[in-house]
Amino acid sequence: MRQPLIAGNWKMNGSKAATVELLNGIKAGIGDIGTSEVAVCPPFPYLYLAEEILSGTAIRYGSQDCSREEEGAFTGQVSATMLRDFGCTYAIIGHSERRLFNAETNAVIARKYQMVVAHGLTPILCVGETLEEREQGKTEEVVARHLDAVLDLPEGVAALAKGVVAYEPVWAIGTGVTATPEQAQEVHAFLRQRVAKKSAEIAAKLRILYGGSMKPGNALELMAQADIDGGLIGGAALKAADFLAICKAGDANV
Ligand code: PGA
């Protein structure tokens, strides 16, 4: 059985004070969470607060991105080594907002994925189609391309044994429109089958999260689907009570 992972993607939100409050709020409620693994991804400058506040708890944390380079003259970038230094477990890679606003290509994302794994962190690889692509019937083609960026690495399917995938339909992110459980399940099953063609064992163990307007009100139904193993939560991760309610929903589906 795959352990559900509920990861909060805080994006570019908050302040020092708000981060402390949110971290403490989640920490205070974590005792009620059973089997779900819980993680938060604050903005880079606040990772030190996650390290301070969450150490000794079961709550893991990570970053929202990572440089594809080891170190050196790369102004504004943050390396995997630095993330390790702050105790990160996860790094979100290839989020659609980075594909869109930072022109990240599949090749760049694959390189970041390798870098994260090489430094002992677990990448959360985001894949997902835009509304236009869905309407043109291209959903599978697009998510396959996003997934293949990693599957086609020299290390092959073994690379996916070291990561987590998040299916995030772009049209559902921050819009309040969620994929129906059936729509999401269809894509999750497609992704798992694609991995299974290379390794049934790795596919069976791979956690595939759903992201895109997941909220306390729809989390249970979504995670009840056979191939949905948790959530990558944006907006609803900014309120401790909502985030914890989603973590609870993850527990209910084991
Ligand atoms: P949302 O964001 O939950 O606000 O839709 C999810 C994400 O972008 O990871």
Side-chain angles (χ1 to χ4, degrees):
M1 199 60 207
R2 297 178 291 266
Q3 182 189 19
L5 168 63
I6 314 296
N9 173 12
W10 294 4
K11 308 194 180 184
M12 195 172 71
N13 291 296
S15 60
K16 246 198 274 188
T19 300
V20 168
E21 194 184 326
L22 187 50
L23 289 168
N24 279 322
I26 296 168
K27 186 174 165 177
I30 196 67
D32 296 333
I33 307 303
T35 39
S36 295
E37 182 186 346
V38 177
V40 294
C41 299
F44 287 131
Y46 302 137
L47 285 173
Y48 81 99
L49 289 170
E51 188 180 31
E52 265 174 37
I53 295 172
L54 302 181
S55 70
T57 76
I59 306 164
R60 304 212 160 110
Y61 54 93
S63 65
Q64 301 168 18
D65 182 37
C66 177
S67 175
R68 74 183 122 151
E69 307 292 346
E70 272 300 340
E71 65 175 344
F74 301 103
T75 303
Q77 298 195 34
V78 175
S79 72
T81 311
M82 294 169 187
L83 298 175
R84 267 298 275 208
D85 210 10
F86 280 90
C88 288
T89 298
Y90 290 103
I92 299 171
I93 297 297
H95 190 279
S96 63
E97 285 150 17
R98 294 209 58 88
R99 293 180 193 263
L100 181 65
F101 302 124
N102 297 75
E104 286 192 10
T105 60
N106 283 321
V108 166
I109 291 161
R111 181 78 198 105
K112 289 184 171 191
Y113 189 102
Q114 285 179 304
M115 186 60 79
V116 165
V117 169
H119 288 276
L121 298 161
T122 301
I124 300 177
L125 172 73
C126 300
V127 306
E129 81 289 359
T130 62
L131 184 58
E132 198 187 356
E133 289 162 340
R134 173 163 282 263
E135 284 172 352
Q136 290 170 353
K138 291 187 180 157
T139 299
E140 291 190 352
E141 184 189 320
V142 172
V143 298
R145 220 184 304 132
H146 291 169
L147 183 70
D148 288 357
V150 169
L151 269 183
D152 293 344
L153 285 169
E155 48 275 48
V157 65
L160 277 177
K162 307 252 171 74
V164 173
V165 171
Y167 169 54
E168 298 210 306
V170 178
W171 47 272
I173 295 177
T175 57
V177 181
T178 318
T180 64
E182 296 72 26
Q183 279 174 323
Q185 167 59 25
E186 204 181 341
V187 180
H188 282 235
F190 170 79
L191 290 165
R192 197 178 306 284
Q193 278 154 22
R194 198 164 181 87
V195 178
K197 281 187 199 152
K198 311 249 177 180
S199 164
E201 196 192 336
I202 291 174
K205 288 190 184 146
L206 178 67
R207 290 189 289 183
I208 307 179
L209 317 182
Y210 169 79
S213 299
M214 195 189 264
K215 307 218 169 335
N218 59 28
L220 201 60
E221 283 195 289
L222 282 160
M223 287 191 275
Q225 300 297 311
D227 290 293
I228 302 185
D229 310 311
L232 183 56
I233 321 296
L238 297 173
K239 276 198 196 140
D242 286 357
F243 184 64
L244 288 162
I246 296 172
C247 298
K248 266 276 187 228
D251 281 356
N253 278 300
V254 178

